[in-house]
Amino acid sequence: MILAEVKPAARPLSPHLQIYRWSWTMATSIAHRVTGTGLYLGTVLIAAWLVAAASGPAAFDTAQWIAGSIPGRLVLFLYSFSLMLHMVGGLRHFVWDMGKGYEPQTRMAMAKFSVAISAALTVLIWIVVLATR
C-alpha cells in the first residue's frame, strides 16, 4: 500500500508586521506593555531604596547619592513617565471597557492624547517636586 502525499489545508496566513502600518493605537498598546515591565523594574529600585533607608544612615546616604546623580534622576524621570503613561493607558482601556471610543478617529485621538497627557503630567510632577525642595 502506497501512502498518498497529504497536502496541508489552504489556510489564510496571519498578517505580518511588514503589512501593518504603524498607528498611534498600535504604538501605545506596545508602550503600555513596555511601561508595565518598566514599572516592575522601577519598583525593585524603590524597594532597594527602602531597604537602604532601613539599613542605616550610611546605606541611605549612598542610595540618595545614586538617586540624586544625573543617571539616577534620568531613571526616576523615566520611571515617573512610565507610571503616567501606564496609568493614562489604563484609563483609556477603562473607557473602552465601557463600550465607548471605538470609532477610528476617537481611538487615534485617545492614543495621541494619552501620550501628551502623560508627558504633561510627568513634567508637572517634576516641576512641583523640584520647586518644593
Side-chain angles (χ1 to χ4, degrees), residues 13-73:
L13 296 175
S14 177
H16 196 266
L17 287 176
Q18 295 165 340
I19 294 172
Y20 287 116
R21 279 186 337 179
W22 278 93
S23 67
W24 279 91
T25 53
M26 182 187 298
T28 54
S29 175
I30 293 168
H32 189 77
R33 290 171 176 84
V34 170
T35 57
T37 303
L39 291 174
Y40 274 113
L41 299 174
T43 302
V44 169
L45 294 176
I46 290 175
W49 178 78
L50 290 170
V51 168
S55 297
F60 184 68
D61 288 343
T62 302
Q64 285 294 91
W65 180 83
I66 292 170
S69 68
I70 291 175
R73 286 187 183 204

Side-chain angles (χ1 to χ4, degrees), residues 51-126:
V51 168
S55 297
F60 184 68
D61 288 343
T62 302
Q64 285 294 91
W65 180 83
I66 292 170
S69 68
I70 291 175
R73 286 187 183 204
L74 178 63
V75 168
L76 288 172
F77 182 82
L78 292 174
Y79 180 77
S80 58
F81 178 70
S82 291
L83 183 61
M84 293 299 107
L85 187 61
H86 199 77
M87 180 188 70
V88 174
L91 292 173
R92 187 168 47 105
H93 281 270
F94 181 68
V95 170
W96 288 343
D97 288 344
M98 292 189 304
K100 309 258 189 249
Y102 284 116
E103 298 79 26
Q105 296 293 52
T106 306
R107 279 194 331 261
M108 288 296 182
M110 287 172 65
K112 292 176 185 178
F113 190 67
S114 68
V115 173
I117 287 296
S118 301
L121 285 172
T122 302
V123 169
L124 180 65
I125 288 168
W126 277 81

